Amino acid sequence: FPSHDRMEFISSINGIDSVVSFGSNNELIERIREWEPDIMVIGDDYKYHEIIGIEYIPRISFFEKIKDKSTSKILSYGKTNSL
């Protein structure tokens, strides 16, 4: 699914202030510095990877992914069924 569809879905979740995309590490760092987020939420599969821009984010929170769930599957379901 296109990133726009994923972003639209994620931004519809209650409590999400903003969703941004980026094309490079430098662009991500620029967005983080511009937006000055209080917290960045990242899938726990990135726990042991380098987090780009971590020096500009006061708090990183990892979420545990739900087995057999993905935005692609949720978006697919939403397109064929009414949510």
Side-chain angles (χ1 to χ4, degrees), residues 4-71:
H4 179 292
D5 289 347
R6 292 174 188 266
M7 291 175 62
E8 185 177 335
F9 171 76
I10 293 169
S11 66
S12 72
I13 298 170
N14 189 22
I16 302 294
D17 292 331
S18 62
V19 179
V20 297
S21 65
F22 54 92
S24 69
N25 290 349
N26 286 337
E27 186 179 347
L28 173 58
I29 290 170
E30 288 172 23
R31 288 186 179 263
I32 290 169
R33 292 179 74 185
E34 174 186 341
W35 286 63
E36 299 178 333
D38 296 320
I39 184 171
M40 183 180 225
V41 180
I42 304 171
D44 64 356
D45 52 333
Y46 285 92
K47 226 177 211 180
Y48 303 106
H49 294 201
E50 177 185 10
I51 300 172
I52 306 300
I54 192 169
E55 61 272 22
Y56 304 109
I57 305 165
R59 182 173 160 213
I60 302 289
S61 181
F62 295 95
F63 70 93
E64 185 177 336
K65 292 194 173 184
I66 301 168
K67 185 179 180 183
D68 298 326
K69 301 295 180 197
S70 71
T71 39

Side-chain angles (χ1 to χ4, degrees), residues 1-2 5-6 9 70-80:
F1 287 92
D5 289 347
R6 292 174 188 266
F9 171 76
S70 71
T71 39
S72 295
K73 288 180 184 178
I74 293 168
L75 287 168
S76 177
Y77 178 85
K79 287 181 185 265
T80 59

